[in-house]
Amino acid sequence: LLSDLNSTLIVVNFIIQVYRNTGFVFIESYGLYWHQRKKPIIEAIMNLVISLVFLSVFKLGIAGVLLGTIISSLGYVIWYEAYIVFKHAFDKSFFEFIKIMLNYFLQIVLSWGGASYFSRIALRDDGSVVDVIVSVIVSLITGIIVYLSLNFKRKEFRFVVSIVGQILNKIKGKL
């Protein structure tokens, strides 16, 4: 199907797009489109130029297009969208965003690295359905452990836990 490089780049691009969705919600909710009116043009030009360089100069094919998208998103878009949201919606310093993103990046790297490491230990590498299931389970457990270990003291985490507790109490009350 696809090479490991292309599969990895697709996953990285997906992660970046998921993180961008949060910014989209705030940009839409606060009506901040005017503040970023030039962003789509700059993003498209960057993406096109970088992708064409990877395609024509380095002959990377699909990987080149994915790298162009990832580089334009990481190199400009994520930072600019966050700057607009933090400045005009939250009235907070852009450095708050940098701290948050570094925490998320650490979680992703640890989850990905841990899942890769433990999957290699647990798998037989025969490409069977069992290997896929074991890999999914190992990845989920690793991701959950990393998330819990890095976030259990945060107020946002405690808030989510309290909401889940309320929902479970309502369900238990109806039984």
Side-chain angles (χ1 to χ4, degrees), residues 22-82:
T22 305
F24 291 152
V25 170
F26 285 102
I27 288 166
E28 187 172 321
S29 299
Y30 281 87
L32 299 174
Y33 292 111
W34 182 254
H35 295 288
Q36 60 166 10
R37 62 192 175 278
K38 297 174 186 170
K39 183 206 55 125
I41 296 166
I42 295 169
E43 176 183 9
I45 291 170
M46 279 182 69
N47 192 347
L48 183 64
V49 169
I50 294 168
S51 294
L52 287 174
V53 167
F54 282 127
L55 280 171
S56 59
V57 176
F58 297 107
K59 310 284 189 233
L60 289 177
I62 294 171
V65 174
L66 290 166
L67 280 170
T69 303
I70 290 168
I71 290 170
S72 67
S73 291
L74 286 177
Y76 174 68
V77 177
I78 283 184
W79 306 107
Y80 189 73
E81 289 171 350

Side-chain angles (χ1 to χ4, degrees), residues 135-150:
S135 181
V136 168
I137 292 170
V138 167
S139 297
L140 283 172
I141 291 171
T142 304
I144 290 169
I145 290 171
V146 168
Y147 178 79
L148 290 175
S149 64
L150 293 176

Side-chain angles (χ1 to χ4, degrees), residues 123-132:
L123 297 180
R124 295 182 309 223
D125 278 338
D126 61 2
S128 67
V129 174
V130 173
D131 270 359
V132 172

